[in-house]
């Protein structure tokens, strides 16, 4: 796949040279910026970034924030934290294999058997254009899944920007954890050619929890580069090349027995979009290579030193074509193919002084699983009348996974499975959303869908993967049945003047829900583990909940936003599901005068007294925290510069969320200063 | 358009390279295979009186434990001619000066192996060669071609393996002196392994018959991590002192195979015996 990188480089350079040749003769072009954003999702597209007119813009400046902090603000979203870095997003109590995670539509599968490298960790906050979180049609393009998912859209190189070269640079400092942040962004854009280079650097030491206790192993260091270039060879075509380079070093995970010495992502793509009179065609080819190296060399009390490297390589290609049939039907056709290779192994170094000759112990935790997936999605957006629209879609996907490691196949014999047989799934997904514009200010919607997903690599092939939350080693089963769900949601959106009220309730009814069940015939492998859980399909489970969001203006000058979310999940025996967030409420007050902005944020989470005991969960007390931030312009070196100051966790509360593994307290009070210059 | 040319060119180059590397495989002329290639040569000697030379092979250098022994007979007048019609029996002897003893063994079958044309049996050496004790392998040969008998006596060297393949103990039940050998797996691997033990009783210095009908309980363990493995099958008696079962190793490294021995009616013979197995 080095060739793909070469092609990307050649094309990027080629386009760069090409643009110089054509700059002079290029005339005004029709297309301004192709954001490639999908149509507004009824579940709510949440857009964050400085180039969009998103409503949240007034409420929070993203400067100096980290990607997972931005994600956590989204409606329906919670994050599972195992450390201070790379938190795993969950949506309505669903995580991991139930969600798909993409960057600009590209499928990326983490290389960490402990899910310590969610896709969100490969996008830096200053390169983030928007995040789409959805649970219906829109998301079907991103893979067959139950709960929907996240698409992280990165910054595009901008054509026709007001200056040929523009950009920004920022530096920041965070007192708690001695956090050092720096980033810059440069955009070159003329009418036919545009290039954007983005860089971000962060380094944090251990933070202190509320009350002053230092939380060990919360440090990390990270560097992220993103290069994207757009080229318009003609008035109706756009060619885009993209490369993301992300490295993280010495990442601590206090909730786990091991840290990460290195995590790296190399993500690259080439895409092409063509506009016809009544239709569009979009093609994209991409690849990514994710490396993850876990070890415990920095830990003090280790019974036995271990190395656990993992890698995940994904290559894919997809097309999207949109066209109209008559006046009422807008059709989307989306064929998709991807190929993923996952491999992870483990070396354990015995340290018995009586047996110095004892060799290293070795096993494979992901046995070189190679997965092919091909799918076809067809969607129709049917305008029934001026008030009513029906959007319905169907998707069929064929996925086949096979073990290519002979060693891995032998390992499977231990649990009585034949690893030579490929595991194959045919997945069907269907969804329909009806929207009805009742009157000028009120819109109602109802959605019903059926979804299926295949087991993840860990669920299907994982071999004694230790989960420090419940203290069990997990074994995957290659012939698990697919997990299916019926999902419904209804809601309304009321909008008048500057007030928006959004409410939705949802219910997911699962069948063959995949979960780890204790199997006492197995002996735990990890030192001190409680035993072994084997992934199984349980007959049923359900998740339901609601989300309410209010955006309004108080006293004519203060913007007010309130967001409430609640999720409830039970299995077939009415036991609570694991990692279900408690009732949460977040309020934001925003005041801005000229370019001065002040924001106050209050987050309250109720007690979670419904833990899944056999998953190692305990009751989590309620908490409330207050954050304050302000931003003001200053004149510095004749450039447009702004300074922002924030105080996170103003009252230095000692708290943790129900989804924080092993109840590791979150950071206490922290002052954050950020200085930004635009040019 | 230049860029498309680049891409096209590159794609062609990749395709050409990929296809080009799929060259036809050259076939080597078949070389005659030495049937003893995979065996270890132990030594050879005249079977005095039988008109034959006995060449002794084993699967590896002789060790304390269960050794498969191959005896290839050649006509002493015409050493290129291998003799396949005969009858071979063993009589291994340990000479310790003050005393002599034998060990458990299984005489070869009266027919030769199809591949090596050798007579195959087994010997369970119960101690290594030491400065004060030496092993002699006596092979009684009956050459059917000329109907003559003789003995080939060969001094052999037996070593103790770093990881012993033989344990011995006195039965708590009936005070029999017992020897247990770990025969398989000779090349352990991660995954499921067939496991075979041999059990022999010391009746006298010269008599070590195989013991059948015991019950064995087996539990593999990784002592440095404190875990075992699932889905093991306890060895069961298969006759001739052989007990076969299945052992699972979940990873490479040092394993301890714990064994309890009982009679068929459940009386304890011996508990807490073990073999070490280490592999990478």
């Amino acid at each position: 796949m080095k060739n793909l990188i070469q092609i990307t480089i050649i094309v990027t350079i080629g386009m760069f040279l090409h643009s110089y040749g054509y700059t002079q003769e290029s005339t005004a072009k029709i297309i301004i910026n192709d954001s490639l954003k999908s149509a507004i999702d009824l579940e709510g597209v949440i857009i964050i970034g400085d180039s969009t007119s998103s409503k949240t813009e007034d409420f929070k400046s993203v400067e100096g924030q980290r990607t997972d902090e931005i994600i956590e603000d989204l409606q329906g979203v919670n994050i599972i934290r195992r450390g201070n870095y790379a938190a795993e997003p969950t949506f309505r109590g669903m995580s991991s294999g139930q969600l798909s995670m993409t960057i600009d539509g590209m499928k990326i599968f983490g290389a960490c058997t402990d899910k310590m490298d969610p896709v969100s960790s490969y996008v830096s906050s200053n390169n983030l254009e928007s995040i789409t979180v959805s649970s219906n049609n829109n998301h079907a393009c991103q893979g067959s899944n139950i709960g929907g998912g996240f698409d992280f859209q990165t910054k595009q190189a901008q054509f026709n920007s007001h200056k040929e070269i523009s950009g920004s640079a920022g530096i920041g400092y965070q007192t708690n954890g001695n956090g050092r942040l720096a980033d810059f962004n440069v955009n070159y854009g003329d009418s036919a050619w545009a290039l954007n280079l983005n860089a971000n650097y962060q380094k944090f030491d251990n933070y202190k929890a509320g009350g002053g206790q230092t939380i060990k192993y919360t440090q990390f260091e990270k560097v992220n580069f993103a290069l994207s270039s757009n080229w318009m060879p003609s008035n109706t075509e756009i060619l885009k090349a993209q490369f993301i380079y992300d490295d993280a070093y010495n990442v601590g995970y206090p909730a786990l027995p091991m840290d990460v010495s290195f995590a790296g992502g190399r993500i690259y793509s080439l895409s092409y979009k063509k506009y016809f009179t009544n239709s569009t065609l979009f093609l994209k080819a991409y690849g990514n290579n994710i490396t993850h190296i876990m070890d415990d060399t920095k830990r003090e009390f280790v019974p036995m030193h271990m190395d656990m490297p993992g890698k995940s390589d994904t290559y894919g290609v997809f097309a999207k074509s949109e066209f109209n049939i008559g006046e009422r039907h807008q059709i989307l056709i989306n064929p998709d193919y991807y190929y993923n290779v996952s491999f992870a192994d483990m070396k354990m170094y015995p340290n018995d002084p009586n047996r110095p000759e004892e060799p290293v112990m070795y096993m494979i935790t992901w046995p070189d699983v190679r997965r092919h997936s091909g799918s076809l999605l067809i969607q129709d957006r049917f305008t029934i009348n001026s008030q009513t629209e029906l959007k319905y879609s169907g998707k069929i996907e064929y996925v086949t996974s096979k073990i290519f490691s002979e060693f891995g196949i032998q390992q499977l014999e231990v649990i009585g499975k034949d690893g030579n047989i490929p595991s194959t799934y045919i997945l069907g997904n269907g969804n329909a959303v009806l929207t009805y514009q009742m009157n000028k200010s009120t819109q109602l919607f109802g959605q019903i869908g059926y979804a299926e997903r295949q087991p993840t690599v860990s669920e299907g092939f994982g071999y004694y993967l230790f989960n420090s939350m419940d203290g069990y080693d997990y074994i995957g089963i290659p012939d698990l049945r697919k997990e299916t769900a019926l999902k419904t949601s209804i809601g309304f959106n009321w909008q008048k003047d500057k007030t928006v009220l959004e409410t939705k309730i949802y219910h997911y009814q699962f069948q063959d829900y995949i979960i780890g069940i204790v199997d006492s015939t197995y002996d735990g492998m990890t030192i001190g583990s409680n035993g072994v859980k084997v992934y199984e399909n349980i007959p049923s489970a359900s998740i339901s909940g609601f989300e309410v969001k209010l955006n309004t203006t108080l006293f004519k000058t203060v913007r007010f936003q309130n967001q409430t979310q609640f999720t409830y999940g039970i299995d077939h025996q009415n036991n609570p599901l694991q990692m279900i967030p408690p009732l949460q409420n977040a309020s934001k007050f925003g005041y801005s005068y000229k370019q001065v902005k002040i924001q106050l944020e209050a987050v309250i989470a109720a007690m979670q007294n419904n833990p899944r005991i056999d998953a190692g969960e305990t009751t989590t007390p309620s908490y409330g925290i207050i954050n304050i931030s302000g931003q003001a312009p200053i004149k510095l070196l004749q450039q447009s510069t702004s300074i922002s100051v924030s105080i996170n966790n103003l009252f230095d509360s000692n708290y943790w969320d129900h989804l924080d593994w092993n109840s590791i307290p979150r950071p206490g009070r922290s002052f954050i200063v950020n200085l930004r210059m635009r040019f | 358009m230049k860029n498309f040319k680049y891409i096209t060119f590159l794609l062609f180059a990749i395709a050409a390279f990929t296809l080009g590397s799929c060259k036809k495989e050259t076939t080597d002329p078949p070389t005659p295979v030495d049937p003893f290639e995979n065996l270890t040569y132990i030594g050879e000697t005249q079977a005095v009186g039988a008109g034959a030379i006995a060449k002794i092979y084993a699967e590896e250098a002789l060790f304390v434990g269960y050794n498969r022994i191959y005896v290839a007979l050649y006509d002493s007048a015409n050493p290129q001619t291998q003799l396949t019609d005969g009858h071979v029996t063993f009589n291994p002897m340990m000479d310790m000066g003050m005393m002599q003893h034998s060990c458990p063994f299984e005489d070869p079958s009266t027919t030769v192996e199809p591949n090596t044309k050798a007579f195959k049996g087994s010997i369970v050496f119960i101690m290594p060669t030491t400065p004060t004790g030496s092993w002699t392998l006596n092979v009684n040969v009956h050459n059917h071609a000329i109907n003559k008998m003789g003995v080939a006596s060969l001094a052999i060297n037996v070593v103790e393996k770093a990881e012993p393949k033989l344990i011995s103990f006195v039965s708590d039940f009936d005070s029999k002196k017992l020897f247990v050998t770990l025969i398989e797996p000779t090349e352990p691997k991660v995954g499921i392994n067939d496991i075979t033990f041999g059990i022999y009783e010391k009746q006298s210095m010269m008599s070590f018959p195989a013991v059948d009908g015991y019950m064995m309980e087996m539990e593999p363990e990784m002592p440095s991590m404190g875990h075992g493995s699932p889905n093991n099958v306890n060895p069961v008696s298969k006759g001739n002192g052989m007990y076969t079962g299945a052992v699972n190793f979940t990873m490479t490294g040092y394993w301890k195979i714990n064994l309890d021995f009982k009679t068929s009616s459940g009386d304890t013979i011996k508990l807490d015996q073990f073999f070490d197995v280490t592999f990478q």
Side-chain angles (χ1 to χ4, degrees):
Chain A
M1 268 307 137
K2 281 214 175 99
N3 302 316
L4 241 170
I5 301 172
Q6 282 168 3
I7 293 173
T8 316
I9 293 168
I10 287 173
V11 170
T12 310
I13 294 168
M15 288 197 293
F16 191 74
L17 296 173
H18 178 272
S19 71
Y20 272 100
Y22 283 75
T23 316
Q24 302 298 14
E25 50 186 295
S26 63
T27 50
K29 305 236 164 153
I30 303 160
I31 309 155
I32 304 165
N33 279 306
D34 176 51
S35 68
L36 308 180
K37 274 193 211 90
S38 44
I40 297 292
D41 176 1
L42 287 165
E43 287 286 323
V45 175
I46 297 145
I47 295 166
I48 287 163
D50 54 6
S51 65
T52 64
S53 57
S54 95
K55 291 168 200 155
T56 47
E57 187 198 26
D58 300 335
F59 284 91
K60 192 139 195 174
S61 65
V62 296
E63 287 164 14
Q65 267 195 312
R66 286 165 22 210
T67 313
D68 43 9
E69 292 172 333
I70 297 170
I71 298 166
E72 206 176 4
D73 272 359
L74 305 177
Q75 202 170 18
V77 175
N78 286 81
I79 56 175
I80 298 175
R81 282 166 63 112
R82 301 173 179 92
N84 192 24
Y85 170 76
E88 181 193 355
T90 72
F91 180 60
R92 296 175 174 173
M94 290 171 284
S95 62
S96 187
Q98 292 166 330
L99 302 174
S100 58
M101 300 263 170
T102 54
I103 295 176
D104 295 317
M106 298 180 280
K107 282 166 202 69
I108 300 177
F109 301 94
C112 176
T113 51
D114 276 353
K115 299 178 224 163
M116 298 199 285
D117 60 345
V119 169
S120 50
S121 67
Y122 297 108
V123 189
S124 70
S125 53
N126 70 322
N127 191 37
L128 192 58
E129 176 81 19
S130 69
I131 306 172
T132 307
V133 185
S134 52
S135 78
N136 57 24
N137 300 60
N138 281 346
H139 213 81
C141 293
Q142 291 167 252
S144 298
N145 60 78
I146 298 271
F150 295 72
D151 188 36
F152 300 88
Q153 312 241 317
T154 59
K155 270 198 181 120
Q156 308 283 309
Q158 304 281 312
F159 292 114
N160 277 331
S161 47
H162 58 290
K163 284 188 281 186
E164 274 208 333
I165 290 179
S166 61
S168 68
I171 51 168
Y173 182 75
Q174 183 165 342
T175 55
N176 193 352
N178 189 24
R180 288 140 280 178
L181 308 134
D183 62 75
F184 77 86
N185 183 285
V186 186
N187 188 81
Y188 167 86
D190 59 34
S191 55
W193 156 251
L195 185 74
N196 188 293
L197 176 65
N198 193 87
N200 185 300
Y201 173 77
Q202 303 169 19
K203 184 170 164 74
F204 279 77
D205 298 337
N206 292 333
Y207 67 71
K208 286 192 168 70
Q213 180 204 357
T214 300
I215 306 297
K216 274 189 178 178
Y217 316 118
T218 51
Q219 80 290 342
F220 69 87
E221 183 173 8
K222 177 188 173 68
V223 59
N224 180 288
F225 292 101
L227 181 70
S228 78
S229 66
N230 278 344
W231 174 45
M232 277 196 281
S234 78
N235 282 357
T236 58
E237 290 168 293
I238 292 183
L239 200 60
K240 186 187 168 190
Q242 173 189 37
F243 181 63
I244 297 174
Y245 174 103
D246 184 281
D247 277 355
Y249 309 95
N250 188 20
V251 184
Y253 286 91
L256 302 177
M258 306 180 88
D259 300 319
V260 170
S261 57
F262 174 76
R266 308 286 179 266
I267 298 160
Y268 37 89
S269 74
L270 256 187
S271 53
Y272 171 79
K273 186 160 190 176
K274 171 128 178 112
Y275 293 82
F276 301 95
T277 322
N278 252 328
S279 61
T280 57
L281 174 67
F282 178 75
L283 298 168
K284 185 161 191 162
Y286 62 90
N288 54 72
N289 310 96
I290 310 293
T291 314
H292 199 82
I293 297 168
M294 273 194 279
D295 65 38
D296 50 17
T297 46
K298 299 269 165 74
R299 291 295 175 105
E300 287 158 312
F301 307 107
V302 180
M304 180 181 297
H305 170 54
M306 294 183 198
D307 285 335
M308 288 184 75
K311 79 179 182 89
S312 164
D313 297 325
T314 309
Y315 309 101
V317 56
F318 64 89
K320 278 184 189 179
S321 175
E322 278 183 293
F323 55 91
N324 296 324
I325 296 180
E327 301 230 308
R328 293 184 161 187
H329 293 275
Q330 192 187 9
I331 309 287
L332 165 73
I333 294 183
N334 171 215
D336 184 298
Y337 165 80
Y338 74 85
Y339 170 63
N340 171 260
V341 180
S342 295
F343 181 84
D345 57 8
M346 185 170 181
K347 282 196 184 108
M348 293 142 281
Y349 302 88
N351 54 3
D352 182 352
N354 298 322
R355 286 185 63 91
E357 76 286 1
E358 190 175 334
V360 167
M361 290 169 263
Y362 179 80
M363 62 182 225
I364 295 179
T365 44
W366 278 350
D368 192 4
V369 179
R370 304 189 191 176
R371 176 168 279 181
H372 292 270
S373 155
S375 67
L376 179 67
L377 167 76
I378 297 174
Q379 176 182 284
D380 178 16
R381 186 170 171 177
F382 175 27
T383 311
I384 298 172
N385 56 42
S386 61
Q387 290 171 306
T388 319
E389 184 190 278
L390 175 67
K391 198 160 143 184
Y392 60 98
S393 65
K395 175 173 176 140
I396 187 143
E397 178 169 354
Y398 178 82
V399 201
T400 178
S401 313
K402 196 172 184 311
I403 301 176
F404 273 76
S405 156
E406 193 55 42
F407 195 98
I409 290 170
Q410 288 172 11
Q411 281 185 165
L412 267 187
E413 291 175 351
V414 170
I415 58 163
K417 298 287 176 187
D418 184 353
N420 289 299
I421 303 169
S423 71
T424 298
Y425 298 90
I426 295 169
L427 306 167
N429 275 263
N431 204 78
V433 189
L434 188 72
T435 47
Y436 174 63
Q437 193 74 38
M438 204 161 82
N439 54 47
K440 222 175 171 181
S441 55
T442 311
Q443 192 185 54
L444 305 176
F445 80 86
Q447 180 206 342
I448 186 156
Y450 173 75
E452 298 183 334
R453 72 163 179 110
Q454 82 271 20
T456 62
V457 172
S458 287
E459 288 164 345
F461 305 95
Y463 190 71
Y464 288 97
L465 294 173
F466 181 64
N467 177 322
S468 77
M469 175 81 190
D470 57 13
Y472 281 88
D473 293 324
Y474 279 67
I475 293 181
I477 299 296
D479 48 12
L480 275 182
R481 289 187 301 280
K482 57 193 175 186
E483 182 177 293
T484 68
L486 263 176
K487 46 188 191 176
T488 56
S489 59
I490 53 169
F492 73 91
N493 182 307
W494 183 81
Q495 199 163 352
K496 198 164 190 179
D497 302 327
K498 282 185 169 176
T499 301
V500 183
L501 176 67
E502 273 179 30
T503 301
K504 48 205 145 189
I505 59 172
Y506 55 83
H507 180 77
Y508 297 78
Q509 186 63 44
F510 295 91
Q511 275 197 332
D512 289 331
Y513 188 84
I514 298 172
I515 196 167
I517 302 284
V518 176
D519 187 333
S520 54
T521 61
Y522 292 97
D523 202 2
M525 192 277 293
T526 308
I527 292 172
S529 91
N530 294 332
V532 168
K533 281 188 180 180
V534 174
Y535 282 107
E536 279 180 30
N537 298 97
I538 58 169
S540 66
S542 71
I543 289 178
S544 27
F546 65 84
E547 284 151 19
V548 182
K549 184 177 176 181
L550 173 70
N551 251 339
T552 190
T553 304
L554 305 173
F555 321 117
K556 291 188 180 170
T557 53
V558 177
R559 290 287 292 160
F560 172 70
Q561 180 186 294
N562 191 286
Q563 232 171 261
T564 305
Q565 60 192 53
F566 176 71
T567 312
Y568 180 76
I570 49 169
D571 69 9
H572 62 300
Q573 291 166 331
N574 290 332
N575 294 320
L577 294 179
Q578 62 206 69
M579 292 283 118
I580 298 292
L583 177 70
Q584 275 176 335
N585 183 284
S587 298
K588 289 177 188 175
F589 301 87
Y591 173 79
S592 67
Y593 177 73
K594 293 190 174 165
Q595 281 173 289
V596 177
K597 291 179 192 169
I598 296 171
Q599 184 189 298
L600 179 81
E601 181 184 36
V603 181
I604 304 165
M607 173 178 175
Q608 178 57 287
N609 53 7
N610 223 9
R612 188 172 178 90
I613 308 290
D614 69 11
E617 290 192 333
T618 50
T619 304
T620 304
S622 61
Y623 65 86
I625 52 161
I626 287 180
N627 305 322
I628 295 177
S629 63
Q631 185 176 329
I634 52 168
K635 243 334 188 217
L636 204 72
L637 302 169
Q638 304 300 315
Q639 299 286 342
S640 155
T641 308
S642 66
I643 184 162
S644 66
V645 178
S646 321
I647 309 172
N648 281 354
N649 193 357
L650 181 68
F651 295 114
D652 202 28
S653 307
N654 188 295
Y655 76 105
W656 61 93
D657 190 80
H658 185 65
L659 272 56
D660 295 344
W661 270 26
N662 295 336
S663 306
I664 305 281
R666 291 200 179 187
R669 188 186 304 123
S670 186
F671 295 87
I672 303 147
V673 184
N674 196 284
L675 192 68
R676 178 161 305 273
M677 186 185 284
R678 288 176 207 285
F679 52 88
Chain B
M1 269 334 217
K2 216 180 264 176
N3 305 309
F4 282 112
K5 279 184 198 160
Y6 276 126
I7 299 172
T8 321
F9 174 77
L10 243 154
L11 288 175
F12 272 111
I14 295 162
F17 181 78
T18 320
L19 293 174
S21 59
C22 300
K23 276 178 192 161
K24 277 183 196 166
E25 293 198 6
T26 51
T27 47
D28 291 325
T31 45
V33 183
D34 176 6
F36 296 102
E37 192 180 42
N38 297 323
L39 297 175
T40 301
Y41 173 73
I42 302 298
E44 62 182 272
T45 183
Q46 282 279 346
V48 180
I53 302 166
K55 287 190 185 177
I56 314 294
Y57 294 86
E59 277 163 348
E60 54 188 296
L62 301 174
F63 60 92
V64 176
Y66 184 92
N67 296 259
R68 289 189 182 85
I69 306 287
Y70 298 79
V71 180
L73 296 179
Y74 295 87
D75 190 334
S76 43
N78 189 3
Q80 296 303 316
T81 309
Q82 195 169 353
L83 303 172
T84 57
D85 190 9
H87 183 209
V88 173
T89 57
F90 290 152
N91 185 20
M93 288 303 292
M94 160 53 70
D95 185 351
M96 300 176 79
M98 306 278 283
M99 57 171 232
Q100 287 193 328
H101 66 78
S102 183
C103 62
F105 60 85
E106 191 180 2
D107 282 327
S109 142
T110 51
T111 52
V112 292
E113 286 268 283
N115 185 27
T116 57
K117 306 275 189 292
F119 297 87
K120 181 186 163 196
S122 63
I123 299 173
V124 183
F125 294 107
I126 56 175
M127 62 175 287
T129 302
T130 62
T132 55
S134 54
W135 280 102
T136 303
L137 175 55
N138 301 301
V139 180
N140 306 309
V141 175
H142 182 190
N143 184 351
H144 290 180
I146 54 173
N147 197 18
K148 285 200 169 158
M149 294 203 274
V151 180
S153 288
L154 189 68
I156 50 170
N157 187 47
V158 176
V159 297
E160 175 87 88
K161 282 196 167 186
E163 215 149 55
K165 299 282 186 183
L166 180 90
I167 54 175
S168 66
F169 51 82
V170 175
S171 165
D172 293 342
F173 175 64
D174 52 16
S175 300
K176 283 179 181 168
K177 168 92 172 163
L178 296 169
F179 291 96
V180 180
T181 63
L182 173 64
I183 299 172
E184 294 287 348
T186 48
E187 283 174 7
K189 62 179 172 59
V190 166
I192 196 161
N193 294 266
D194 290 332
I195 191 161
T196 307
F197 296 93
I199 304 183
Y200 309 91
E201 182 198 344
K202 182 185 178 185
Q203 279 184 346
S204 70
M205 298 299 262
M206 296 301 152
S207 173
F208 297 81
V211 183
D212 293 324
Y214 283 174
M215 290 204 299
M216 287 175 74
E217 278 164 26
M218 177 181 71
E219 209 176 286
E221 177 199 358
M222 220 159 192
S224 45
M225 300 192 81
H227 67 75
S229 67
N231 294 334
N232 299 287
V233 180
N234 280 332
V236 292
S237 175
K238 289 288 163 72
N240 292 329
M242 296 287 143
Y243 292 75
T244 60
V247 66
N248 277 310
F249 299 125
T250 51
M251 63 180 76
T252 68
Y254 161 50
W255 287 84
K256 201 172 152 188
I257 300 175
N258 295 301
L259 298 167
D260 288 346
F261 297 88
K262 287 174 182 169
T263 65
S264 57
S265 48
D267 297 307
T268 297
I269 294 167
K270 200 78 188 172
L271 304 180
D272 303 328
Q273 302 298 303
F274 66 89
F275 284 97
D276 288 335
V277 173
T278 304
F279 63 100
Q280 279 175 298

